[in-house]
Amino acid sequence: AYYPLGEQARKPGTAEWRFPNEVLQGQVMQFTGTSEVIDVSSTIDLGTVHTISFWANISATSFANIVTGTGGSAIKLNAPNKIYYYTNNYTNSQPSISMPLNQWNNIVIARNGGTIKFYVNESLLHTTTGFTGDSFTFNKILGLDVNNKLSNLAVWDTDQSANITNIYNYGAPQTSYTVTPTAWYKLDKTSE
């Protein structure tokens, strides 16, 4: 799945940019803290074995909703210290880890059944074991609650813990992956 959302996108039937240049910085989609939602139009069920990776630059300490799905599935950030991972039955894992504000961070959540690994900038910062939540589904990418920047959201229906170095890519969003994602939303300015 690929959703072009960059600065070349125009409002239907007009010459007006949907996202003017000043809203985008480099290769990212910047959400402005209003009710901005990207509906991916169909629900993606990742089951209980999957990996979710994205780049985020959070500038405030209130909740930043990143993705949501059916039945309670969600990835939320409570910057700078907590990543909330919710499954369809609202079961959550919320490790308290250090994630600096006002800088780009690559966040990877790799789940394999009852074990969830949380990575920030390639470093494994927390492992949850004995997790009992059911499957994870999503159908929306959000820019709610805070003025945050988001780039390169990729998901796999496999555990990609062994490929963290490739996903992190020396601190820059990927242009290709060694294992093709189930869905990849680049959210960059080159998208049309």
Side-chain angles (χ1 to χ4, degrees), residues 31-48:
F31 296 100
T32 61
T34 59
S35 295
E36 296 172 325
V37 176
I38 299 166
D39 190 335
V40 301
S41 74
S42 63
T43 299
I44 297 173
D45 187 346
L46 295 175
T48 60

Side-chain angles (χ1 to χ4, degrees), residues 82-93:
K82 289 190 179 183
I83 300 171
Y84 290 79
Y85 169 90
Y86 290 87
T87 59
N88 283 348
N89 60 349
Y90 296 97
T91 300
N92 75 79
S93 180

Side-chain angles (χ1 to χ4, degrees), residues 3-131:
Y3 300 89
L5 302 164
E7 68 184 358
Q8 300 304 314
R10 297 180 187 270
K11 292 183 180 177
T14 73
E16 184 180 350
W17 295 117
R18 184 177 301 276
F19 303 105
N21 288 334
E22 64 268 19
V23 175
L24 296 169
Q25 296 177 359
Q27 299 291 314
V28 303
M29 184 69 63
Q30 180 173 350
F31 296 100
T32 61
T34 59
S35 295
E36 296 172 325
V37 176
I38 299 166
D39 190 335
V40 301
S41 74
S42 63
T43 299
I44 297 173
D45 187 346
L46 295 175
T48 60
V49 179
H50 53 264
T51 303
I52 302 165
S53 170
F54 56 91
W55 288 82
N57 186 324
I58 305 299
S59 61
T61 57
S62 60
F63 268 131
N65 295 295
I66 303 302
V67 297
T68 63
T70 58
S73 291
I75 302 293
K76 300 179 179 186
L77 301 181
N78 187 5
N81 293 321
K82 289 190 179 183
I83 300 171
Y84 290 79
Y85 169 90
Y86 290 87
T87 59
N88 283 348
N89 60 349
Y90 296 97
T91 300
N92 75 79
S93 180
Q94 47 185 321
S96 183
I97 60 176
S98 179
M99 185 175 54
L101 291 173
N102 300 308
Q103 76 173 44
W104 284 100
N105 296 289
N106 176 232
I107 299 162
V108 178
I109 300 167
R111 179 176 177 193
N112 195 332
T115 301
I116 306 171
K117 295 179 180 179
F118 294 85
Y119 298 85
V120 175
N121 299 330
E122 195 178 20
S123 296
L124 176 62
L125 297 185
H126 181 81
T127 300
T128 297
T129 57
F131 187 74

Side-chain angles (χ1 to χ4, degrees), residues 114-189:
T115 301
I116 306 171
K117 295 179 180 179
F118 294 85
Y119 298 85
V120 175
N121 299 330
E122 195 178 20
S123 296
L124 176 62
L125 297 185
H126 181 81
T127 300
T128 297
T129 57
F131 187 74
T132 59
D134 59 11
S135 65
F136 184 92
T137 60
F138 82 96
N139 56 13
K140 290 181 174 54
I141 302 169
L142 296 95
L144 299 176
D145 304 331
V146 298
N147 184 14
N148 69 74
K149 300 175 189 124
L150 184 63
S151 181
N152 239 36
L153 172 69
V155 298
W156 294 261
D157 57 4
T158 57
D159 179 355
Q160 292 296 307
S161 296
N163 291 319
I164 294 301
T165 298
N166 176 256
I167 293 170
Y168 182 62
N169 191 38
Y170 304 101
Q174 274 291 12
T175 56
S176 66
Y177 289 102
T178 54
V179 177
T180 303
T182 304
W184 184 8
Y185 311 93
K186 292 182 182 180
L187 307 174
D188 68 3
K189 74 175 185 177

